[in-house]
Structures are given as C-alpha cells and as structure tokens.
Amino acid sequence: MKQIKRMKKSTRSSLFTYALVIAGYVVIQLLLAGGSISSSLKGQLVPICAYIVMAISLNLTVGVLGELSLGHAGFMSVGAFSGVVAAMSLAEAIPFAPLRLAVAMAVGALCAAVAGFLIGIPVLRLNGDYLAIVTLAFGEIIKSIINNLYVGVDGRGLHFGLMLQNANELKLGEGGKVLISGAMGVSGVAKISTFTAGFILILITLAVVFNLVNSRAGRAIMALRDNRIAAESVGINITKYKMMAFVISAALAGAAGALFSMNFSTITANKFDFNTSILILVFVVLGGLGNMWGSVVAATLLTVLPEMLRRFSDYRMLVYAIVLILVMLATNNPTIKEFFGRFGLTKRARKNPVQAKGGRQA
C-alpha cells in the first residue's frame, strides 16, 4: 500500500484504469459462462468496446490537446468501411477470422490516420469554435463521400467509383463482387468481431495514450493546451505536436470503427453521423476531460443505460436525459472530486490563496 502511495498520480491513475478494464472483462466472462447476461446485452459488448476506444481517442484530442473536435465519427466511418473492404477482400487469403479481424483493424487505423493527417493540415491552423465547426464539416463531407462511393473486387483487384448511377458501372469482371454500394452501404458482412478482440483493442489504446501522455511529446502537447503562446516561446513546434495528437486520435478511432462494423451484417454511413460524434463527446465530458478511466466508465454506462430504461417506454429518453444531468452535477461536485483526487484519479483544483480572498495577483 505504501508503494502505491509513493507512485506518481499519473501512474496510479493508469494502473487503476488497466485494473478497471481487466476486472470488467473477467466479470463479463464469468457472467457469460454462467448464462447470466441477456442476449441484448451480449449484442452490445462489442459496440461498448468500440465506444470506449472512441471516447479514449477523442479524450486525447479534447482533454489532452485541448481542441474541440466534432467530426470524430468521420474517422470511425473511414476505419469501418476500409476495414470491411479489407476483411471481405482477404476472406480467402486469410481464412482465420481473428487474424483477418486484426488486419482489418490495422487497415482501418492506417486509413483513418491518413484521413486525419490530410484533414489536420488545414484544420489545425484554427482554434476554438472555428476548429470545432470545421471538423464538424469534414465529418459530414466524409459521410457524403462514403454515401456516393462504390467499391468492387474481381480478379484484377479493387475498383472504385464516385457518383455512379449504380454498381454496374464499376464494370467488374466475371466473379466480381460489389463491396460498397453507395448509400446502401455494405451488406453480407461476416460477423468476426468478438468481445475479446475489443478488450485487447482497449488495452492497446490505453497503452498508446498513456505512453504518449507521459512522454516528452505528451508534455509538449499539454503545454500547448495550457498556454499556447508560452509553449511557442520556448520553441515547441505547435503544428508538429497538434498533428501528432490528432493523427493518433484518428487512427485509434479508425481501429474502433473496423471493430464496430464487423459486428453487424449490414453497415451504412448513416451510422456514423453528427449524432454519433456528439454521443462520443458526451462520454468524454461526462467522464472528465483528460480522465481516461472516466471515459471508460461513461462510455460503458451510457451505452447500456438506454437498454436498461426500455421499461419506461415513451419516457425512456426523457429519463436518460435526466440521468445525464444528475450525473453531470454529481461529477462536478467538489467533494466527489476531492475524494477521487486523494487516490490520484482526478486532478484536484488548487486554489490561489490571493484569488480565494478576492484579491489580485501582483
């Protein structure tokens, strides 16, 4: 116990988050083995894992970098569709489903990272509300592109088309197969995503984020968040570190999108609209900016809560909104913040004694 108290607060928070995720996985596996989980909750296990990864990745942009992004679902959709295309194209070459899923998530992460880099070039020159509006616009642009995208595969490889009348205009060879059919999305997707794969992806995401935050680059990113002018004055490359956080966040969202998409037989671009971006942002804000274990808890509870409230029928979403308000008020309670701050799980606010008395600093 003394050794734990001697640890840095960041280390204690990281260990607590890992322990929370591992304990949750073990409990769920025991409940599955005992048949104590309903079929509806079983179907939510993979989406919960995907949303947890999304919340952690967005927290890297919003909580650690300090920039508001409203188009995070766009990166999720890029990873989802690129991952599905990779998995369906490699079905014969890689018959082992877990390996194919891993390759699909890697492809989804790579494509989302490229999209994040291209979008970040113009976007990261902005700050505050302007950046939020532009990322929102890019998220809608990505959804519009996918709604008009046709992809097929035959013996000659992949074929792409935009703004086509129908999939026949791809002119696929004999035995060719249409993978993405514009607004119809992708159908006939093999459900190869598993709860265990989601658990592993969460651990990888936490490892990436924690190692980044506790590194020299992470300290530079947080310096930009706290005071951009001061950080620039000491030689910190603003564009480099903002781009680093933004691209890593996009890559993790892409991997989550690939995991999410292969849990359903049909996937469309409308599943990754503006409402999804707002939902992920709610997870981050409710769990606490920069607080990764809070994002894990918030994403889990708020994904399961609507199903638990189905007994209220027409008043379900009203009760859901009331619960959100009550939880937000509770998490901003100084007593609760102080309690978790003792364990190094949250940052305790330090009051300036001069400002506390209503005075001004010299």
Side-chain angles (χ1 to χ4, degrees), residues 213-236:
V213 171
N214 295 321
S215 67
R216 181 179 179 182
R219 290 190 292 272
I221 291 170
M222 288 185 285
L224 293 175
R225 175 197 65 191
D226 295 335
N227 194 318
R228 176 176 176 172
I229 297 175
E232 189 175 14
S233 67
V234 296
I236 294 178

Side-chain angles (χ1 to χ4, degrees), residues 20-265:
L20 181 68
V21 172
I22 294 171
Y25 175 76
V26 172
V27 170
I28 293 297
Q29 289 290 10
L30 292 175
L31 293 175
L32 287 172
S36 302
I37 295 183
S38 63
S39 57
S40 61
L41 184 56
K42 285 182 183 178
Q44 284 189 311
L45 291 178
V46 172
I48 287 172
C49 292
Y51 284 139
I52 288 174
V53 175
M54 287 292 294
I56 295 172
S57 64
L58 182 59
N59 211 341
L60 178 59
T61 300
V62 179
V64 179
L65 179 60
E67 298 290 356
L68 180 59
S69 173
L70 296 180
H72 211 55
F75 300 124
M76 189 181 186
S77 65
V78 171
F81 284 92
S82 59
V84 165
V85 169
M88 296 178 73
S89 302
L90 298 173
E92 296 182 1
I94 308 178
F96 187 54
L99 178 59
R100 191 162 73 252
L101 175 62
V103 172
M105 287 193 292
V107 171
L110 179 61
C111 291
V114 172
F117 177 77
L118 295 177
I119 292 173
I121 293 174
V123 165
L124 295 181
R125 297 177 182 274
L126 305 173
N127 292 296
D129 299 338
Y130 300 102
L131 187 142
I133 293 172
V134 174
T135 52
L136 168 62
F138 272 112
E140 292 301 307
I141 289 171
I142 290 174
K143 188 184 77 170
S144 180
I145 290 174
I146 294 176
N147 273 328
N148 291 280
L149 177 66
Y150 289 82
V151 178
V153 61
D154 59 14
R156 295 173 295 170
L158 291 173
H159 299 260
F160 299 88
L162 274 173
M163 306 295 293
L164 304 180
Q165 294 295 326
N166 53 60
N168 294 330
E169 294 187 24
L170 287 174
K171 298 180 181 180
L172 300 177
E174 185 177 354
K177 181 180 180 181
V178 177
L179 301 180
I180 301 180
S181 302
M184 299 292 291
V186 185
S187 58
V189 180
K191 297 182 180 180
I192 59 177
S193 293
T194 63
F195 177 52
T196 300
F199 166 71
I200 294 173
L201 181 60
I202 292 173
L203 292 182
I204 293 173
T205 302
L206 289 174
V208 170
V209 172
F210 284 144
N211 278 284
L212 174 64
V213 171
N214 295 321
S215 67
R216 181 179 179 182
R219 290 190 292 272
I221 291 170
M222 288 185 285
L224 293 175
R225 175 197 65 191
D226 295 335
N227 194 318
R228 176 176 176 172
I229 297 175
E232 189 175 14
S233 67
V234 296
I236 294 178
N237 190 326
I238 293 178
T239 303
K240 172 185 174 182
Y241 289 109
K242 288 180 70 172
M243 182 67 77
M244 181 185 298
F246 197 72
V247 169
I248 291 175
S249 176
L252 295 174
L259 176 74
F260 181 87
S261 63
M262 282 175 282
N263 187 57
F264 302 96
S265 58

